[in-house]
Amino acid sequence: MMFFRRNNSFKGSGNMPEQFWNLYQRSLLEKDRGALASALRLRKEAYDISKTDNGYLGMACHNLAILEMYHLGDGKAAAKYARESLDCGEEYYRFSEKCREIIMFGAHLESLQTAAVTSTTYDEALGYIAEGKKRYGSIFENMEKSVNSIRNSGGRFYEYLRATSLLYYSRVSAEQDKGDYAPAMSLLQIIIDHAEEREFDLGYEEYVDVLDDYLTITVMYLMKKARVLKGTMADFGNELAFIADEPLKRLADFLPDCQPSDMKTFQFIIQGYAQLPYIKERSSFRPFLSYI
């Protein structure tokens, strides 16, 4: 990846291009070793220095969207950054295509995919898919078929996102569990945040099912990443513990409405979070101190 320093096509005014790609390269190294807070910090630094150039800004937003969606499990942030990247318009599209053969992926294409899968209505998702088909052809057709299949059967948009989330994990069968928890976490978070909207309209049991999975696979993900990080408990606190904040905030919002028959399930989950290093010290855990 250090070839960015040698490729004249990425030179611009000052040292911003070199700084940008250096930050991106460093973020990849941190991500790969499980230091996710450091990876996020470096990508935000790249975002901050790129604001005067829509090509680089679009790429910076894309890089944040992918990290949030597929490594941090934050669908809300992924949706924000994917849309911000697309707002950078033709400059971002052209820059993405210019970079494609060097960085080995199409950033603009991935921004459209991420925006589509983090949508909250059929019309919104199909709008991004239509743009993807216009730009990139058949690669978006399977996504379009999946969305329209559920829509045409009368299903809520929730059912599309729920089915998509289950492509990444299973709590029913260990053999079917792909263990790809972060993108599933991202989609479950979006479902919870929009549960009362018309195209979601979750019943109580559906909500409990989604929240239970979201909380549980987050713990599984944190344990998995801790094994990658191979650091001290303090390293876990610095690099990974923040990922628990979003699910715990949603659990705190839900508990006043939790029926007694479901309380044991969530008490057990709270105990699981309490066993993770430095989670009890975070402000997001304070509402649960009475459970431990």
Side-chain angles (χ1 to χ4, degrees), residues 17-36:
E18 182 175 351
Q19 292 172 0
F20 180 93
W21 293 117
N22 180 264
L23 288 165
Y24 177 63
Q25 169 68 11
R26 288 165 57 197
S27 80
L28 290 177
L29 295 174
E30 296 290 358
K31 172 186 68 67
D32 290 345
R33 76 176 186 92
L36 297 183

Side-chain angles (χ1 to χ4, degrees), residues 142-246:
N142 285 340
M143 183 180 284
E144 182 181 48
K145 288 177 182 176
S146 296
V147 172
N148 280 327
S149 175
I150 295 176
R151 185 181 204 178
N152 293 339
S153 70
R156 293 160 290 166
F157 192 72
Y158 150 72
E159 292 170 51
Y160 167 70
L161 289 186
R162 188 67 173 116
T164 304
S165 75
L166 291 170
L167 297 175
Y168 297 103
Y169 78 101
S170 172
R171 293 182 65 193
V172 177
S173 166
E175 290 76 19
Q176 296 176 18
D177 183 15
K178 296 179 180 178
D180 197 3
Y181 301 124
M185 289 155 53
S186 294
L187 296 177
L188 296 176
Q189 183 203 80
I190 290 171
I191 291 171
I192 290 166
D193 286 352
H194 298 273
E196 296 183 0
E197 295 178 9
R198 183 177 59 85
E199 293 198 36
F200 288 75
D201 192 24
L202 268 64
Y204 175 84
E205 294 299 331
E206 290 173 323
Y207 191 94
V208 167
D209 176 62
V210 170
L211 182 61
D212 181 3
D213 276 14
Y214 178 45
L215 292 160
T216 301
I217 66 173
T218 298
V219 171
M220 296 165 67
Y221 183 64
L222 286 170
M223 294 171 64
K224 182 177 181 179
K225 298 309 290 186
R227 291 191 290 271
V228 175
L229 186 61
K230 296 179 181 176
T232 64
M233 288 194 295
D235 292 330
F236 182 96
N238 291 331
E239 296 291 351
L240 295 172
F242 75 100
I243 292 173
D245 289 345
E246 291 295 326

